[in-house]
Amino acid sequence: MWSGRQGRLRPVGCVVEELRCRRREREAALRKARREQQLVSKRLLRDDVLEEVEGGCVAKILGEAEIQQFLRLAQRGTEEKERERALVSLRRGLQHPETQQTFIWLEGSIRTLVGLLTSSQALLQLEAARCLHELSHSEQSAVAEACLPATSYLLTYLSGHSSDFIELCLYTLGNLIVESEAVRRQLLPQGIVPALAACIQSPHLTVLEALGYALSQLLQAKEAPEMIIPSVLGSTLPQHILRLLQPGPKLNLGVAVEFAWCLHYIICSQVNNALLIYHGGLSTLGLLLLDVAGAVQRTEDAGLELLACPVLRCLSNLLTEAAVEVGGGPNQLEDERVVAALFILLQFFLQKQPSLLPEGLWLLNNLTANSSSFCTSLLSMDLIEPLLQLLPVSNVVSVLVLTVLCNVAEKGPAYCQHLWPGPLLPCLMGTLASSDTEVVGQSLELLQLLFLYRPEAVEAFLQQSGLQVLEQHQEEAQLQDRVRALQKTALHR
Amino acid sequence: MQLPPALRSRLVGAPGAAEPLPVERDPAAGAPPFHFAARRVRFPRDHEFFEDGDVQRHLYLQDVLTQVTEAPERPRRAFPSVHLLDTHILEWHDSLFQILSERQDMYQCLVEGCTEKFKTGKDRKDHLVRRHLYPADFRFDKPKKSRGPATPVATVQVLAEALGDDGEQSGGDAMEVCSEHAGPLPERVGERRTYSHRIPSTICFGQGASRGFKSTKKRKEHR
């Protein structure tokens, strides 16, 4: 099979391998960026239809003279069509970094562009906005920051009428937001939070997705917990975000993904999560989780983990809030369907995105740690065995699975009665033999609880050569005290 | 991972939970040398636990988005924001405004959400520049030129300038805006234009015009 991609014919295998390679490189770069707290991503909005109409030929780099000519024509041409064409040519040229550089250093260029942005002709405005958008997407700070004089206008246009135009402004703002703290320091006093709070009432899905993106980047900023999130929480944005995350037939996946990430950045910043709980955040997110689990069963859409991930994180972190500790009422999550949904998602992660298993198990821990109700659900819905099936995935996953099992076991004899006899003990024999200290350590904790509340299990343990397995770790500093204690318990039966 | 068949039906069943089993703890549980305690765990923003999910999020963001436009008709009107237009209509066309402004601060700040009011356009502009970091030559705030009593033509010119037309001929759009406000003005006080929004028909979960998941063809290369 030959791939006709981009007019170059190559065997499909090569293309796929190249793509995989490029993706691995990108992932590695993103991980590095995250460790350095520089993880930002710009978005580029390009019109497929437009590109087709323009003939699909590669735009060329523009020189100074050409740029000046196009600007002059755009500004002072006599015919509207002529002016528009000039701007289109400029915009296409601006797809090139070289053109961008030349452009920003030309005297008066940005001022002219901003003037066209504020002209009374819709098509000129749109093209000027597209030019700005190309510039905003640049990786060169100087180019992106050259757009700063336009920000007050972009914000103004958020309460305009053309949804396409608003969308473009939002993505442009989003790109500028991630550019630097200096840019954000300008946008905040210019009123970006109230502008977004007004714009979020738009019924247009494309606008909402763009807004969610821009807001998520604003909330992800380093200085967000101190400088941005408080005013966001003080606006009507939280209520609107939760409204847009309500499950049901009107829920749009692209929109939901953006706002779920917004909510995650707010919650994990620990500024005022009680407010979100007050607005029904727990209930909304719980129901949303059910919806995602349902969707996962219906469709092969591999994009659902992009929504599942932030929802899990939000729920897990919200569950740690003091407001949730007080039992009963709407502040509590007491619906065992959430546990069912979570397991369906765990299975989905196992197949599509194993790296998300730890996050799913983290939620399971937070659900079961202080809840006899959810621990009982795990037992009554026969979920212990599926949980054990995750043990071989990785050491991190093993530790989390064992922790959840400890959550169940520590509740006492009534719970341990359901843990033995059963598949748990044989699995424990496996994890006890692990070379990972943490896995073994957590296994020892579970074993102690099992011996304490289900003494009959000791005999079975001995019969399965448990003592020999324990002996392996007798000299291990972090484990030896616990190993000895268990040996003593086992031998005294 | 094998899930019990009853799980899927539980998901679509009624909310609620089974009666919890009785909890009965022994003080020896988790006692030294053991240390297990059931605990909810919280992760802050930058914790490395989030690394994988964050990387996936940003890979998704970095895909080039394409817009599939359905509307063949591009918008012909160019209006500044409702807020600004209303502010303009109020300030430019309202002789009552003029009278009132002699007695109280009538020039309201142009930033959505800011409730400051000023005596003159210049004061407002200074506020915009100092407080909201607006550019010194922000176009929607030109000082009022003294003109005679508002006639349709003069009004059009003045509004066109305010909209930053660079001195060119105002197009039909500006004319349309103004024609609704020509004539004796006191009745116009507080008039608000209403713009209808097109409400999209119900979109089903998993379908719809969302750009993030529209081009599944382009998605596949990144799986």
Side-chain angles (χ1 to χ4, degrees), chain A residues 77-351:
Chain A
T78 43
E79 254 187 58
E80 200 181 311
K81 266 285 158 224
E82 185 186 40
R83 300 175 69 187
E84 196 197 326
R85 263 199 304 269
L87 265 186
V88 169
S89 304
L90 178 62
R91 191 243 309 152
R92 297 190 68 228
L94 283 174
Q95 290 177 10
H96 285 283
E98 292 96 326
T99 315
Q100 292 171 356
Q101 284 288 339
T102 314
F103 181 85
I104 63 167
W105 293 115
L106 257 183
E107 174 141 357
S109 60
I110 286 287
R111 195 168 48 244
T112 307
L113 199 57
V114 172
L116 290 160
L117 180 70
T118 56
S119 86
S120 65
Q121 267 133 327
L123 297 177
L124 289 178
Q125 278 190 307
L126 191 57
E127 281 307 325
R130 286 189 177 128
C131 289
L132 274 171
H133 183 67
E134 293 287 344
L135 292 170
S136 77
H137 187 254
S138 168
E139 280 170 17
Q140 311 269 343
S141 286
V143 174
E145 286 183 355
C147 301
L148 285 188
T151 56
S152 51
Y153 301 100
L154 293 173
L155 287 175
T156 301
Y157 285 135
L158 292 189
S159 45
H161 306 288
S162 159
S163 62
D164 286 347
F165 192 62
I166 295 174
E167 186 195 4
L168 190 58
C169 290
L170 283 166
Y171 280 119
T172 305
L173 280 165
N175 288 344
L176 295 176
I177 281 167
V178 303
E179 184 52 52
S180 69
E181 192 173 343
V183 171
R184 296 188 289 269
R185 264 205 301 274
Q186 171 170 307
L187 285 171
L188 286 167
Q190 281 181 348
I192 186 166
V193 173
L196 292 176
C199 188
I200 201 172
Q201 296 172 67
S202 165
H204 299 282
L205 297 171
T206 52
V207 167
L208 291 172
E209 190 176 339
L211 195 154
Y213 160 70
L215 183 58
S216 74
Q217 300 306 286
L218 191 60
L219 295 166
Q220 205 202 339
K222 257 186 294 219
E223 76 278 13
E226 300 87 33
M227 312 297 289
I228 299 169
I229 293 177
S231 45
V232 168
L233 286 174
S235 74
T236 55
L237 280 168
Q239 292 101 297
H240 286 298
I241 293 173
L242 287 173
R243 171 180 58 83
L244 290 165
L245 290 174
Q246 297 285 348
K250 287 220 290 239
L251 183 71
N252 178 277
L253 189 51
V255 171
V257 166
E258 297 310 313
F259 288 109
W261 280 94
C262 285
L263 212 51
H264 162 60
Y265 294 131
I266 293 175
I267 290 173
C268 69
S269 301
Q270 313 289 350
V271 175
N272 185 3
N273 290 336
L275 182 73
L276 294 167
I277 294 173
Y278 171 76
H279 283 302
L282 263 182
S283 153
T284 300
L285 289 164
L287 290 171
L288 184 55
L289 195 74
L290 298 188
D291 228 40
V292 178
V296 148
Q297 294 182 270
R298 283 194 305 271
T299 166
E300 272 295 294
D301 197 336
L304 284 164
E305 78 274 13
L306 288 158
L307 178 56
C309 174
V311 173
L312 291 174
R313 292 179 179 190
C314 288
L315 273 170
S316 297
N317 267 332
L318 274 186
L319 284 170
T320 66
E321 292 296 320
V324 179
E325 297 298 337
V326 180
N331 286 353
Q332 279 285 41
L333 204 56
E334 282 166 328
D335 190 348
E336 72 177 359
R337 294 179 304 171
V338 170
V339 176
L342 185 49
F343 270 80
I344 288 167
L345 287 171
L346 289 173
Q347 184 190 55
F348 173 69
F349 291 158
L350 186 61
Q351 288 160 4

